[in-house]
Amino acid sequence: MENQTTVPYFLLLEFSKNRHLQLLHFFFFFVLYLTTVTTNFLIISAVAFDRRLHSPMYFFLMNLGLQDLGIVSVIVPKSMINSLLDTRHISYFGCVAQYFLFLSFEASDLSLLTVMAYDRYVAICHPLHYEMVMNWKYCTEIIILVWVTSLLFGMLHTIGTFSIRFCSNMVNQFFCEIPQLLKLSCSGLNLLEVGILVSGIIVALGCFTFIIVSYAVIFRTVLRIPSEQGRQKALSTCIPHLTVVSMLVLSACFAYLKPSSNTPSYIDLGLTVLYALLPPLFNPIIYSMRNKTIKCVLSQLWRL
């Protein structure tokens, strides 16, 4: 493949050449995928069908569940099928679709977590204006904006990445990941892709900064609440969201800021699983653990 500029397909990283280990990988990913789908589907169902959860905070949580379902559904089934059939292939257009959808869902995840931080800021720092500010029309417009801008960002990033010339089709990851595909370029990045990468980094840093500043103001406001019960109630709505944000940001930093390597390693694989698959699994668990209303609704759904 050395002197070719176009590739008909890509070869994804295989976990092992041992057939038993391939089947073990299939089983592990199957359990992980099934658990993630089940937990997120329960949260989505609870918010959709119980009137007690018809509020902006839970509306955003339902959309977060949809995004997390999208993330795992884009990358996990293909990897499972490859291990089961003992193959590494993914078609060129399959890789394009996987790249676009994964990036769009990840972008919408970060955008929505930023919106949820603003929701908590308004609820705690300006409680008297909460219903007026976070009304259903405004929340619906925000969600539409999050989905549209994320899909647009994913489309532009995909066009920029796949407009470069590839000198190899060996992707050192179990899905079409951004850094691994960019390593396959023959002549480096084009101006379009550089511009999109820089703008994406700026937006991501802006979202993270907004979340940090929001919570700095929130915690300052919480400390001024006179009653201990009031402080605990306010913190109980913030800690799950802050935990989810921290898990996503820290795992992504470990995965993308580590020294680059041209050879695949189990460390690369583990870090990718950490930032791509574990947040969608633990997000609904984290939100339901400290929320009595959600736990009550889920127990009722479980008995049906």
Side-chain angles (χ1 to χ4, degrees), residues 57 60 109-125 130 134 206-218 237-238 241-242 245 287:
M57 182 177 71
F60 295 142
D109 226 34
L110 180 59
S111 300
L112 187 54
L113 289 172
T114 306
V115 171
M116 293 172 75
Y118 176 71
D119 174 72
R120 292 299 85 205
Y121 163 76
V122 177
I124 294 173
C125 300
Y130 181 75
M134 302 302 293
C207 290
F208 182 64
T209 303
F210 181 86
I211 292 172
I212 294 299
V213 172
S214 297
Y215 273 99
V217 178
I218 287 171
T237 65
C238 296
H241 178 257
L242 199 56
V245 172
Y287 274 106

Side-chain angles (χ1 to χ4, degrees), residues 232-301:
Q232 291 179 349
K233 184 178 180 181
L235 287 175
S236 67
T237 65
C238 296
I239 290 176
H241 178 257
L242 199 56
T243 304
V244 168
V245 172
S246 301
M247 183 169 60
L248 177 65
V249 172
L250 290 177
S251 59
C253 286
F254 277 122
Y256 285 108
L257 297 182
K258 64 176 179 57
S260 178
S261 173
N262 292 324
T263 58
S265 69
Y266 288 110
I267 295 178
D268 295 334
L269 185 62
L271 289 174
T272 302
V273 170
L274 186 67
Y275 90 87
L277 301 184
L278 292 191
L281 171 63
F282 286 111
N283 285 354
I285 298 174
I286 292 171
Y287 274 106
S288 60
M289 278 177 60
R290 297 180 60 91
N291 194 301
K292 293 181 180 179
T293 307
I294 290 183
K295 287 192 288 187
C296 179
V297 174
L298 290 177
S299 64
Q300 291 176 354
L301 286 175

Side-chain angles (χ1 to χ4, degrees), residues 8-46:
Y9 60 86
F10 291 94
L11 294 176
L12 300 176
L13 177 68
E14 60 181 352
F15 284 77
S16 173
K17 295 183 181 296
N18 186 292
R19 186 58 182 158
H20 296 292
L21 292 179
Q22 289 176 349
L23 294 176
L24 180 62
H25 158 250
F26 168 80
F27 178 75
F28 172 72
F29 266 37
F30 175 75
V31 173
L32 182 67
Y33 181 66
L34 186 62
T35 306
T36 303
V37 170
T38 302
T39 53
N40 281 282
F41 182 74
L42 285 173
I43 292 293
I44 294 169
S45 301

Side-chain angles (χ1 to χ4, degrees), residues 30 46 54 95 154 180 265 304:
F30 175 75
H54 288 181
C95 188
Q180 300 302 329
S265 69
L304 292 177

Side-chain angles (χ1 to χ4, degrees), residues 2-249:
E2 289 237 357
N3 296 320
Q4 295 186 21
T5 58
T6 59
V7 294
Y9 60 86
F10 291 94
L11 294 176
L12 300 176
L13 177 68
E14 60 181 352
F15 284 77
S16 173
K17 295 183 181 296
N18 186 292
R19 186 58 182 158
H20 296 292
L21 292 179
Q22 289 176 349
L23 294 176
L24 180 62
H25 158 250
F26 168 80
F27 178 75
F28 172 72
F29 266 37
F30 175 75
V31 173
L32 182 67
Y33 181 66
L34 186 62
T35 306
T36 303
V37 170
T38 302
T39 53
N40 281 282
F41 182 74
L42 285 173
I43 292 293
I44 294 169
S45 301
V47 175
F49 296 112
D50 196 288
R51 294 183 61 85
R52 287 173 291 179
L53 302 181
H54 288 181
S55 66
M57 182 177 71
Y58 297 114
F59 177 61
F60 295 142
L61 182 59
M62 181 179 70
N63 278 272
L64 184 66
L66 290 171
Q67 292 165 357
D68 287 340
L69 281 178
I71 290 172
V72 295
S73 297
V74 165
I75 62 177
V76 174
K78 179 59 180 175
S79 183
M80 288 167 50
I81 292 171
N82 281 0
S83 291
L84 188 63
L85 300 180
D86 190 18
T87 182
R88 301 172 56 189
H89 289 71
I90 182 171
S91 67
Y92 181 88
F93 291 105
C95 188
V96 171
Q98 191 179 70
Y99 187 96
F100 163 69
L101 291 172
F102 177 77
L103 188 60
S104 297
F105 282 124
E106 283 285 357
S108 62
D109 226 34
L110 180 59
S111 300
L112 187 54
L113 289 172
T114 306
V115 171
M116 293 172 75
Y118 176 71
D119 174 72
R120 292 299 85 205
Y121 163 76
V122 177
I124 294 173
C125 300
H126 303 282
L128 298 179
H129 300 92
Y130 181 75
E131 291 188 3
M132 180 179 66
V133 175
M134 302 302 293
N135 56 71
W136 279 110
K137 180 183 177 182
Y138 182 63
C139 292
T140 303
E141 291 173 349
I142 288 178
I143 289 298
I144 293 174
L145 182 63
V146 165
W147 282 103
V148 170
T149 54
S150 299
L151 289 172
L152 182 61
F153 175 75
M155 182 179 67
L156 290 175
H157 209 317
T158 303
I159 292 172
T161 300
F162 286 90
S163 64
I164 64 178
R165 296 182 300 168
F166 296 112
C167 289
S168 172
N169 67 343
M170 305 286 290
V171 181
N172 290 329
Q173 196 50 266
F174 67 94
F175 69 99
C176 292
E177 190 188 29
I178 301 170
Q180 300 302 329
L181 283 173
L182 295 180
K183 288 179 182 179
L184 306 181
S185 171
C186 297
S187 55
L189 304 181
N190 55 35
L191 290 177
L192 174 61
E193 182 61 12
V194 170
I196 296 171
L197 281 171
V198 171
S199 63
I201 292 171
I202 292 173
V203 171
L205 289 175
C207 290
F208 182 64
T209 303
F210 181 86
I211 292 172
I212 294 299
V213 172
S214 297
Y215 273 99
V217 178
I218 287 171
F219 287 136
R220 187 178 64 181
T221 303
V222 168
L223 292 175
R224 294 176 180 174
I225 298 177
S227 68
E228 184 178 351
Q229 185 178 4
R231 289 196 295 269
Q232 291 179 349
K233 184 178 180 181
L235 287 175
S236 67
T237 65
C238 296
I239 290 176
H241 178 257
L242 199 56
T243 304
V244 168
V245 172
S246 301
M247 183 169 60
L248 177 65
V249 172

